[in-house]
Amino acid sequence: MHIPKKYLNRHLLLVGMAACWLGIAQSQGQQIPLKHGAHRSGPRTDAAMQTWRGYGLGQFIHWGVYAMLEGAYQGKNYAGAAEWIRAWKEVPNAVYDSLYTRFNPSAFNARAWAAMAKQMGVRYLTFTTKHHDGFCLWPSAFTNYTIANTPFKRDIVKEVVDAYTQAGIDVYLYFSVLDWNHPGWRYQLKNSNDSIAFNTFKQFTWNQLTELATRYPSIKGFWFDGTWDESWKKSGPFTDSLEQHLKSLIPGLVIGSRLRADELGNRHKDANGNLMGDYEQGWERKIPDSRTAVGNNDWECVMTIPENGWGYAKKWMGHWKTPVELLEMTAKCVSLGGNFVINFGPMANGAFRPEEEETAATIGRWMKQNHQAIYNSSWASGWAKQDWGYITQPRQPNKINLIVFNVPVAKTLLVKPPKGTTIVKATLMVANKTALTIKPVDYGEVQIILPAKWNAAEPFVIELQTEFNQKQNNAEGPKANT
Ligand code: 1KN
């Protein structure tokens, strides 16, 4: 199609005028008025959130009656995520829904779980209290479909919360709003009967969450899931009251962006683009590529070790991430200002599979040596990303950590500090804390020279001590010839 030039120009003019008008509207703070949008703009600044922000590494545990089927039925492997197996056409609902009458995890030992997590170096746990199937790992008073009605009987949520809390690991409770077991659950509200039924469901959800917050007051937050359906999106005002109610029960409670909807049905971000909840909770099995992708929001990435699947599956499908790959993801997330959470799916007897035990042990050995680059660390503003690895900024001033994953054959790491920053010392945090040669080159770039025979068997950390000098003239580097 040919459009005469003069019309194109006129179009550009109109687009320009519209953009300008929008710009004026925004600068004058003209926003869509919302009663149930975000109640804060920008990150939380209180101590509980500072703690959350500094975790670096967390553990997720998915456990429920789905573990009994082990991701398979009658000899066939389920290609989906093992905790979703009830939705597989091969599995009759009646079979799945009676599994709990045989749930008896004789090897379950919450203190052993917490000990493994402690050794691994995680600083928080997110634990499934109830997944989409509706089965409750605590003896909820609001349904019979709970641990109390299994041969095991013990309150698993309590044992986990207590053991981890005693080990100094903060606990967050995963809770699926979507509940396949509750008669009032609806995907959509098509008529008044749906709304009446869904109101009973909302009351049930309110009751269960109040129960969890009251029974386990040492928890630091909730992790919501199963909130993507139309019925829930139409419940914006309810989600708002629920969030405020839970926060009134436990001061400092941290809740991600998946619980809320605004009154227009927007999730995560309200109609004005402000994040609802304390951190962005959309990074499931994916990691942002850049700081711009996360803006100024707090965020967390949750990750499976196999390709997909959170509950126990006998056969892990696809590529299993190695400990070094998981550490690289951890470093990447922290360098972009987020936390990284690795999922474990215990077996039906309550023990972890050997692959998970080994993964935890290997990550723990590395964390013991190198946690200074992961804990209480964030995005190193102004430091250019480099191909050899990741740069993190600890909370101390004048310190930077380099986490090296790919050692250049030339054994020289290039870094480019922000304008005005000088590197005064570079210390290899292994090999007897060797001080490394620092060679400033042109354009404000600096070479850090590794020992000639340096042969890293695993990723390692270099600590930089820096100085800030306002007056230093740090000229721009060469521009790409575009
Ligand atoms: C793409 O659809 C989904 C729906 C639910 C993908 C994942 C999930 C659930 N969230 C993870 C944290 C697991 O609990 C998974 O079952």
Side-chain angles (χ1 to χ4, degrees), residues 60 62 83-84 131-132 174 223 225 228 258 284 302 310:
F60 213 143
H62 273 72
E83 73 285 359
W84 271 78
H131 205 263
H132 312 331
Y174 169 106
W223 203 100
D225 203 1
W228 52 77
R258 283 194 198 186
E284 181 167 317
V302 294
W310 304 76

Side-chain angles (χ1 to χ4, degrees), residues 122-180:
V122 300
R123 302 221 290 173
Y124 68 125
L125 164 73
T126 302
F127 184 59
T128 51
T129 58
K130 175 179 96 166
H131 205 263
H132 312 331
D133 60 10
F135 178 71
C136 302
L137 286 175
W138 82 101
S140 177
F142 302 98
T143 169
N144 290 323
Y145 195 36
T146 80
I147 192 67
N149 294 315
T150 68
F152 195 63
K153 293 193 173 66
R154 282 153 54 186
D155 180 350
I156 287 174
V157 173
K158 178 172 170 49
E159 291 184 28
V160 168
V161 170
D162 289 351
Y164 276 73
T165 304
Q166 265 176 38
I169 300 171
D170 286 348
V171 179
Y172 293 72
L173 299 182
Y174 169 106
F175 183 92
S176 171
V177 168
L178 161 66
D179 186 327
W180 295 328

Side-chain angles (χ1 to χ4, degrees), residues 408-475:
V409 173
K411 305 276 154 75
T412 297
L413 305 179
L414 196 66
V415 289
K416 187 167 188 198
K419 263 190 181 180
T421 296
T422 318
I423 300 169
V424 292
K425 200 172 173 202
T427 312
L428 197 53
M429 296 313 283
V430 280
N432 300 319
K433 307 216 166 177
T434 314
L436 300 175
T437 305
I438 304 163
K439 266 198 200 165
V441 291
D442 292 325
Y443 311 120
E445 291 174 354
V446 180
Q447 294 173 343
I448 295 175
I449 319 288
L450 288 163
K453 287 191 185 146
W454 181 248
N455 208 346
E458 53 176 38
F460 59 94
V461 171
I462 296 171
E463 180 188 283
L464 302 185
Q465 200 184 313
T466 63
E467 241 167 41
F468 185 69
N469 177 356
Q470 198 86 55
K471 284 199 204 112
Q472 187 198 330
N473 182 15
N474 196 344

Side-chain angles (χ1 to χ4, degrees), residues 71-338:
Y73 191 63
Q74 293 185 331
K76 270 198 245 174
N77 287 321
Y78 173 47
E83 73 285 359
W84 271 78
I85 197 164
R86 188 183 183 276
W88 190 23
K89 61 178 185 337
E90 304 284 326
V91 180
N93 285 351
V95 168
Y96 189 94
D97 295 344
S98 61
L99 288 172
Y100 77 102
T101 62
R102 292 182 290 113
F103 187 64
N104 198 3
S106 53
F108 171 66
N109 178 345
R111 278 196 262 162
W113 285 17
M116 182 179 97
K118 191 73 187 169
Q119 190 280 335
M120 179 182 168
V122 300
R123 302 221 290 173
Y124 68 125
L125 164 73
T126 302
F127 184 59
T128 51
T129 58
K130 175 179 96 166
H131 205 263
H132 312 331
D133 60 10
F135 178 71
C136 302
L137 286 175
W138 82 101
S140 177
F142 302 98
T143 169
N144 290 323
Y145 195 36
T146 80
I147 192 67
N149 294 315
T150 68
F152 195 63
K153 293 193 173 66
R154 282 153 54 186
D155 180 350
I156 287 174
V157 173
K158 178 172 170 49
E159 291 184 28
V160 168
V161 170
D162 289 351
Y164 276 73
T165 304
Q166 265 176 38
I169 300 171
D170 286 348
V171 179
Y172 293 72
L173 299 182
Y174 169 106
F175 183 92
S176 171
V177 168
L178 161 66
D179 186 327
W180 295 328
N181 190 252
H182 193 277
W185 168 261
R186 294 292 182 278
Y187 291 93
Q188 290 177 318
L189 306 177
K190 284 175 278 185
N191 51 50
S192 60
N193 283 343
D194 283 346
S195 298
I196 291 165
F198 200 65
N199 282 341
T200 68
F201 177 78
K202 286 194 286 193
Q203 185 62 54
F204 165 71
T205 301
W206 180 286
N207 291 344
Q208 283 206 319
L209 288 166
T210 305
E211 186 180 43
L212 287 171
T214 312
R215 287 179 69 100
Y216 316 109
S218 66
I219 62 164
K220 306 294 184 218
F222 283 102
W223 203 100
F224 289 101
D225 203 1
T227 52
W228 52 77
D229 287 299
E230 280 307 313
S231 52
W232 193 255
K233 289 202 273 185
K234 280 189 184 165
S235 306
F238 175 77
T239 67
D240 195 7
S241 319
L242 179 58
E243 184 178 59
Q244 292 185 33
H245 168 63
L246 295 174
K247 290 193 167 190
S248 76
L249 296 176
I250 303 180
L253 208 66
V254 175
I255 295 178
S257 62
R258 283 194 198 186
L259 173 63
R260 290 291 321 280
D262 71 9
E263 62 263 50
L264 301 174
N266 296 288
R267 292 178 66 232
H268 294 281
K269 289 183 181 165
D270 70 14
N272 294 311
N274 292 318
L275 189 75
M276 293 180 285
D278 300 317
Y279 64 92
E280 198 192 333
Q281 210 188 337
W283 300 98
E284 181 167 317
R285 292 195 299 121
K286 58 180 196 269
I287 300 178
D289 290 331
S290 68
R291 181 70 184 174
T292 20
V294 288
N296 193 31
N297 291 322
D298 284 304
W299 63 277
E300 170 201 72
C301 167
V302 294
M303 188 63 75
T304 52
I305 300 175
E307 199 66 42
N308 187 16
W310 304 76
Y312 178 73
K314 192 168 223 149
K315 183 185 186 317
W316 264 356
M317 313 273 260
H319 169 70
W320 318 339
K321 294 163 196 80
T322 64
V324 171
E325 285 175 278
L326 293 163
L327 284 169
E328 177 153 9
M329 290 174 165
T330 309
K332 183 171 182 183
C333 287
V334 172
S335 77
L336 294 172

